[in-house]
């Protein structure tokens, strides 16, 4: 389970200024927090972020997946999920899920 925990690293040999927050640093601060994510396939995922890697592959627990189908919205509950980072289009720290759940 340790492989997905983010390690703090200095990129390209230069450190960011103290007032600059890099994207991966923001995601790192969200570990243990609830996240709302929109995926490329128009699915939405809400869960607690356990960890991620440099490709922004993410492990979430206590997950709810929302999918819009021709029959209406389908909601799926999952204990844990691994999301491939290239499929994530938007992340909202502290997000509670789609409006009108």
């Amino acid at each position: 389970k340790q492989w997905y925990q983010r390690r703090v690293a200095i990129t390209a040999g230069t450190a960011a200024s103290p007032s600059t927050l890099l994207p991966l640093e923001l995601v790192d601060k969200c570990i243990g927090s609830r996240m709302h994510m929109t995926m490329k396939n128009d699915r939405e995922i809400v869960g607690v972020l356990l960890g991620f890697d440099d490709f922004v592959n993410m492990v979430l627990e206590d997950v709810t997946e929302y999918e819009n189908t021709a029959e209406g919205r389908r909601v799926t509950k999952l204990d844990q999920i691994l999301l491939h980072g290239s499929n994530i289009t938007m992340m909202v720290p502290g997000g509670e899920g789609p409006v009108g759940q």
Side-chain angles (χ1 to χ4, degrees):
K1 291 185 176 185
Q2 298 299 318
W3 66 268
Y4 59 79
Q5 289 187 341
R6 172 83 177 119
R7 292 179 301 278
V8 177
I10 298 174
T11 58
T14 60
S17 69
S19 62
T20 302
L21 185 63
L22 298 173
L24 290 179
E25 291 173 336
L26 176 60
V27 176
D28 190 52
K29 289 177 180 273
C30 294
I31 291 177
S33 300
R34 199 144 191 83
M35 299 283 286
H36 174 202
M37 299 183 198
T38 302
M39 310 300 288
K40 281 185 179 177
N41 59 6
D42 293 327
R43 292 181 186 190
E44 296 182 51
I45 307 284
V46 178
V48 176
L49 179 63
L50 293 180
F52 67 100
D53 63 14
D54 289 336
F55 301 101
V56 195
N57 298 314
M58 298 189 159
V59 177
L60 301 167
E61 69 178 355
D62 189 24
V63 177
T64 305
E65 177 185 40
Y66 301 91
E67 180 181 11
N68 292 322
T69 66
E71 295 81 32
R73 177 173 282 161
R74 181 170 53 193
V75 178
T76 306
K77 301 277 188 178
L78 302 163
D79 291 331
Q80 200 171 63
I81 191 170
L82 170 64
L83 296 179
H84 193 274
S86 66
N87 290 319
I88 300 169
T89 60
M90 182 176 67
M91 295 184 286
V92 181
E96 289 300 318
V99 177
Q101 310 178 36

